[in-house]
């Protein structure tokens, strides 16, 4: 048990943001019974703005309730019409878009029936429409009409060739310039094993304010803009389930990590430091979140004396999810390089500033290789700039393969970090990720990811036979309370082979912390003992999952795993036994669907709310644009 005494200085002056009640979204792979925050979808903003273009250019106003599919050619014609008027009409388009957004409650992302009233949608729509206006303008100016229509799903994207053989930037693992030699290196005091911390998805809410309304009707609450809360609806010091991570709780987590005994050898952070208040974010505010996390760690004994490795999540850019590639995301890459600078070598800084990915040594003969994985997500909540051309914009895969080849030649091992699990990569990049991981299974010890806010694992099998495990991806659970009680993991590893030996899950009971006025971080369990497995190899995880498929909802190991997913927040009965077994056994969506189909359970297909309406809006807009083009 790790106790953190209350700090009087972290009361009402801390901060966070107001983003909607946390909702359990039973999405398909990557979100099966995973509690996600539901921020305003970028695609919703793009198509609403596109609809507003049709209005602003005097195209016929399409009825929101009509449907039907739009032919690809008609979409291209509509894009041709819209392109020349986007820049001069930006303010007009936003003015038209805001009422459209409010009419549909921001595609179900705000709730005017909440205590926030009409303000909930008015504030969200004004902020997001202004932000997303730049997305639609950039799409139209940077890509041909066919690419824009691919992004809007009006056209079927053409097949794309695999990654090129040459990297746009190359790491040099022999270059040690600027690299710090940490006190824990190289012998680790002669210990046979070491430990390291993994946390992810902090979603720090810097504008979190105690006493504010927690029933605001937006994706997150606890912002001063929502006003004071009524009795029982007021933000407490250590957080609320309707809000993102309170700074007081993050500070307590760093204090807990700094008092671990023995102290960890290094720290891994797989991304998403900024909160879910996407409509209110700026480049400055997102860099402030990244900087707060980095400086908070640097102010601890661990951060001062150990390597800290961080990755980007999909909430790092502005707007959310929208990465445009080298030269266009420099504000983020260079800003993060400044925040993470105390731990970076010159080589790591160089590739980070180029494309958001890098490698760095965390122990003698052990490296962390950090991918910029969220660039490869398309779909309604993905990266629209990637969806417009579906290429490896930063030539990251050639860089990754070259880096792993160098590690192999040097006799080194690698911990592979990425924000998204493989199942969240868009095809064919999910296959590329699987192929690289399989090819270098002799180098990669394990993979670490986030994005989904609950705690789980996925096993990757070899590509030749699909029977031999070659990698385990660990998703440790979120710091933000969106997926359960705030958490971090302590992994134990062999200092000779670097094999993962076990992990301990720590969390804080947020409700108890608010009642007691102090945050107590407790070790909830150790994996091997709690799940009854002999080791943490892929074979053991697969064997565990198969006992669930053959068992019942009362199987003891399943109850333990299901409870651990949300760190005691949600009963095991709320989780899906077959779905979670298939998640362990399936690293891609196709394999996951096959596992479910082959199982005896009848699992209903769930989708995220609002996912169909934005496509309908886009289709109706493009019909209007096509009509204007023909006029």
């Amino acid at each position: 048990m790790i106790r953190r005494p209350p700090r009087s200085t972290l009361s009402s002056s801390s901060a966070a943001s107001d983003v909607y009640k946390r909702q359990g979204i039973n999405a398909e792979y990557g979100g099966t019974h995973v509690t996600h925050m539901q921020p305003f979808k970028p695609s919703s903003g793009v198509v609403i703005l596109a609809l507003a273009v049709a209005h602003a250019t005097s195209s016929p106003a399409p009825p929101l309730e009509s449907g039907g599919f739009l032919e690809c050619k008609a979409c291209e014609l509509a894009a041709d019409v819209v392109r020349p008027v986007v820049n001069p009409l930006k303010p007009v388009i936003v003015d038209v878009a805001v009422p459209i957004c409010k009419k549909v409650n921001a595609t179900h992302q705000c709730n005017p029936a909440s205590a926030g009233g009409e303000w909930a949608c008015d504030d969200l729509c004004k902020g997001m429409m202004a932000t997303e206006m730049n997305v639609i303008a950039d799409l139209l100016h940077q890509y041909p009409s066919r690419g824009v229509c691919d992004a809007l799903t009006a056209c079927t994207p053409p097949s794309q060739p695999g990654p090129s053989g040459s990297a746009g930037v190359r790491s040099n693992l022999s270059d040690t310039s600027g690299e710090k030699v940490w006190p824990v290196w190289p012998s680790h005091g002669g210990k046979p094993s070491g430990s390291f911390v993994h946390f992810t998805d902090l979603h720090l809410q810097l504008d979190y304010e105690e006493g504010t309304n927690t029933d605001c009707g937006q994706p997150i609450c606890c912002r001063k803009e929502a006003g004071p809360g009524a009795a029982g609806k007021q933000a407490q010091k250590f957080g609320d389930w309707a809000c993102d991570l309170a700074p007081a709780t993050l500070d307590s987590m760093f204090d807990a990590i700094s008092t671990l005994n023995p102290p960890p050898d290094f720290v891994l952070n797989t991304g998403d430091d900024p909160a879910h208040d996407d409509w209110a974010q700026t480049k400055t505010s997102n860099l402030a979140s990244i900087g707060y996390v980095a400086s908070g760690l640097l102010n601890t004994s661990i951060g001062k004396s150990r390597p800290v490795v961080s990755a980007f999540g999909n909430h790092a850019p502005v707007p959310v999810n929208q990465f445009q590639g080298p030269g266009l995301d420099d504000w983020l890459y260079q800003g993060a390089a400044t925040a993470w600078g105390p731990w970076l070598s010159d080589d790591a800084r160089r590739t980070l500033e180029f494309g958001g990915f890098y490698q760095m040594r965390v122990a003698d003969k052990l490296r962390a290789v950090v991918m910029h994985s969220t660039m490869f997500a398309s779909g309604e909540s993905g990266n629209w700039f990637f969806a417009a051309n579906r290429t490896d914009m930063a030539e990251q895969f050639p860089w990754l393969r070259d880096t792993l080849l160098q590690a192999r030649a040097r006799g080194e091992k690698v911990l592979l970090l990425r924000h998204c699990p493989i199942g969240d990569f868009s095809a064919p990049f999910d296959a590329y990720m699987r192929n690289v991981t399989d090819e270098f299974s002799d180098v990669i010890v394990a993979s670490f990811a986030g994005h989904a806010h609950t705690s789980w694992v996925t096993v990757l099998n070899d590509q030749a036979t699909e029977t031999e495990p070659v990698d385990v991806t660990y998703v440790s659970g979120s710091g933000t309370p969106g997926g359960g009680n705030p958490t971090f993991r302590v992994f134990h590893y062999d200092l000779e082979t670097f094999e993962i030996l076990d992990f301990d899950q720590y969390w804080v009971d947020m409700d108890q912390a608010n009642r007691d006025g102090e945050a107590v971080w407790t070790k909830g369990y150790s994996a091997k003992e709690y799940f009854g497995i002999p080791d943490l190899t892929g074979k053991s995880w697969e064997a565990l999952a198969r006992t669930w498929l053959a068992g019942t909802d009362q199987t003891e190991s399943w109850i333990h795993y299901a409870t651990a997913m949300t760190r005691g927040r949600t009963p095991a009965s709320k989780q899906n036994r077959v779905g979670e077994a298939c998640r362990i056994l399936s690293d891609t969506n196709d394999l996951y669907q096959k596992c479910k189909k082959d199982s005896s359970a009848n699992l209903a297909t769930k989708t995220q709310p609002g996912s169909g309406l934005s496509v309908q809006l886009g289709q109706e807009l493009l019909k209007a644009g096509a009509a204007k083009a023909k006029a």
Side-chain angles (χ1 to χ4, degrees):
M1 179 177 296
I2 301 174
R3 290 186 177 271
R4 173 195 185 272
R7 292 181 181 175
S8 59
T9 56
L10 289 175
S11 56
S12 60
S13 62
S14 52
S17 60
D18 187 14
V19 177
Y20 216 43
K21 295 289 183 183
R22 310 264 176 146
Q23 298 186 24
I25 306 302
N26 297 336
E28 281 304 284
Y29 186 89
T32 309
H33 286 267
V34 176
T35 304
H36 288 287
M37 291 297 295
Q38 276 301 100
F40 191 89
K41 296 179 183 296
S43 57
S44 304
V46 168
V47 294
I48 289 172
L49 281 164
L51 184 59
V53 171
H55 284 259
T57 54
S58 301
S59 297
L64 294 179
E65 65 275 13
S66 62
F69 292 98
L70 185 71
E71 293 181 357
C72 183
K73 187 61 179 177
C75 169
E76 294 182 70
L77 290 171
D80 290 341
V81 170
V82 169
R83 183 175 287 106
V85 301
V86 165
N87 280 350
L89 288 180
K90 276 185 180 181
V92 177
I93 294 169
V94 170
D95 287 344
V96 174
V98 168
I100 298 172
C101 175
K102 291 167 63 175
K103 181 175 181 179
V104 296
N105 294 340
T107 61
H108 307 294
Q109 302 304 303
C110 58
N111 180 14
S114 68
E118 294 297 326
W119 170 87
C121 291
D122 185 68
D123 176 70
L124 188 150
C125 288
K126 285 179 178 177
M128 206 64 194
M129 291 302 93
T131 301
E132 296 289 356
M133 183 66 252
N134 293 324
V135 174
I136 196 168
D138 287 346
L139 280 170
L140 287 165
H141 290 312
Q142 294 178 24
Y143 295 97
S145 296
R146 175 55 191 265
V148 174
C149 293
D150 288 345
L152 290 173
T153 70
C155 299
T156 301
S159 299
Q160 295 290 346
S164 66
S166 60
V169 65
R170 183 178 184 269
S171 287
N172 181 359
L173 274 59
S174 298
D175 182 5
T176 60
S177 59
E179 181 183 76
K180 293 177 176 61
V181 178
W182 300 98
V184 72
W185 294 352
S187 65
H188 292 273
K191 299 181 299 181
S193 64
S195 64
F196 61 90
V197 168
H198 177 216
F199 61 79
T200 190
D201 292 85
L202 295 176
H203 293 290
L204 172 65
Q205 195 173 340
L206 281 176
D207 61 349
Y208 187 97
E209 189 166 310
E210 288 184 60
T212 52
N213 185 13
T214 62
D215 183 27
C216 67
Q218 293 183 331
I220 59 169
C221 298
C222 305
R223 301 164 62 218
K224 65 180 180 181
E225 290 84 353
K233 300 290 184 180
Q234 297 175 334
Q236 303 298 302
K237 177 177 180 177
F238 290 107
D240 188 274
W241 300 104
C243 312
D244 264 322
L245 183 65
T249 306
L250 178 64
D251 292 340
S252 75
M253 186 179 90
F254 288 162
D255 286 349
I257 291 172
S258 68
T259 59
L260 289 169
N261 187 21
D265 300 330
F266 52 90
V267 175
L268 307 179
N269 171 13
T270 47
D272 264 2
D273 293 343
H276 289 88
D277 54 342
D278 308 324
W279 66 96
Q281 289 176 345
T282 64
K283 294 176 180 179
T284 299
S285 68
N286 280 18
L287 287 177
S289 296
I290 292 171
Y292 188 104
V293 172
S295 63
L297 278 168
L298 192 61
N299 288 331
T300 67
S301 58
I302 299 300
K304 291 175 181 176
S305 61
R306 304 290 197 276
V308 174
V309 188
S310 299
F312 291 120
N314 59 300
H315 283 269
V318 177
V320 60
N321 301 323
Q322 305 310 308
F323 294 102
Q324 301 186 54
L328 297 172
D329 295 325
D330 288 353
W331 68 271
L332 177 61
Y333 302 158
Q334 293 173 7
T338 298
W340 301 339
W343 302 287
L344 297 176
S345 67
D346 293 349
D347 181 86
R349 179 184 291 272
R350 179 173 54 84
T351 61
L352 172 61
E353 290 184 343
F354 171 80
F357 44 83
Y358 64 102
Q359 61 78 32
M360 61 180 282
R361 196 156 62 110
V362 294
D364 190 36
K365 294 293 185 179
L366 180 65
R367 291 183 185 270
V369 174
V370 184
M371 294 194 67
H372 186 1
S373 61
T374 54
M375 295 188 80
F376 300 104
S378 61
E380 293 210 16
S381 295
N383 181 2
W384 282 63
F385 295 96
F386 166 75
N389 68 4
R390 294 179 185 268
T391 61
D392 185 354
M393 290 184 284
E395 297 175 313
Q396 184 176 173
F397 275 91
W399 166 84
L400 173 64
R401 192 171 185 280
D402 177 73
T403 300
L404 294 172
L405 280 169
Q406 291 184 62
R408 177 186 283 163
R410 294 169 57 87
E412 296 179 342
K413 297 293 186 180
V414 162
L415 304 178
L416 187 58
L417 275 64
R418 55 180 181 266
H419 182 65
C420 291
I422 294 178
D424 288 317
F425 281 64
S426 295
F429 289 91
D430 55 348
Y432 302 155
M433 193 68 251
R434 295 180 76 223
N435 292 342
V436 170
T437 308
D438 184 16
E439 179 183 358
F440 292 96
S441 60
D442 60 316
V443 178
I444 299 170
V445 175
S447 299
F448 299 86
H451 197 49
H453 291 178
T454 50
S455 306
W456 44 274
V457 301
T458 292
V459 177
L460 171 68
N461 283 319
D462 71 296
Q463 304 298 285
T465 68
E466 293 285 358
T467 60
E468 290 297 320
V470 294
D471 183 66
V472 177
T473 296
Y474 293 94
V475 180
S476 292
S478 63
T480 190
N485 279 304
T487 191
F488 66 87
R489 274 182 183 168
V490 177
F491 284 85
H492 302 276
Y493 69 110
D494 188 295
L495 283 170
E496 290 292 329
T497 66
F498 303 111
E499 174 190 2
I500 303 298
L501 302 175
D502 204 354
F503 68 75
D504 306 320
Q505 192 92 35
Y506 287 79
W507 67 76
V508 61
D509 185 323
M510 192 173 69
D511 291 336
Q512 189 69 42
N514 283 325
R515 287 193 294 269
D516 295 346
E518 67 171 325
V520 179
W521 290 80
T522 305
K523 187 176 86 169
Y525 64 89
S526 295
K528 285 170 56 178
E529 178 183 8
Y530 194 55
F531 301 135
I533 52 180
D535 52 48
L536 267 62
T537 61
K539 284 185 178 295
S540 291
W541 285 115
E542 287 188 333
L544 179 67
R546 290 192 178 99
T547 65
W548 303 343
L549 292 177
T552 70
D553 287 348
Q554 302 308 310
T555 300
E556 184 179 29
S557 64
W558 160 247
I559 293 175
H560 285 178
Y561 188 91
T563 303
M565 286 180 65
T566 62
R567 290 80 68 185
R569 168 65 179 172
T570 305
S573 60
K574 296 295 185 180
Q575 308 298 345
N576 188 310
R577 173 174 52 85
V578 173
E580 294 307 324
C582 287
R583 193 209 301 275
I584 291 177
L585 296 168
S586 316
D587 58 277
T588 67
N589 188 49
D590 288 345
L591 291 174
Y592 176 77
Q593 298 298 339
K594 183 178 185 301
C595 175
K596 289 202 309 178
K597 182 178 179 181
D598 292 344
S599 73
S600 59
N602 180 20
L603 301 180
T605 298
K606 307 281 186 174
T607 56
Q608 296 187 0
S611 62
L613 180 57
S614 59
V615 171
Q616 180 185 357
L617 285 171
Q619 292 173 348
E620 294 300 335
L621 151 77
L622 294 169
K623 284 181 182 178
K628 181 173 179 64
K630 293 176 181 178

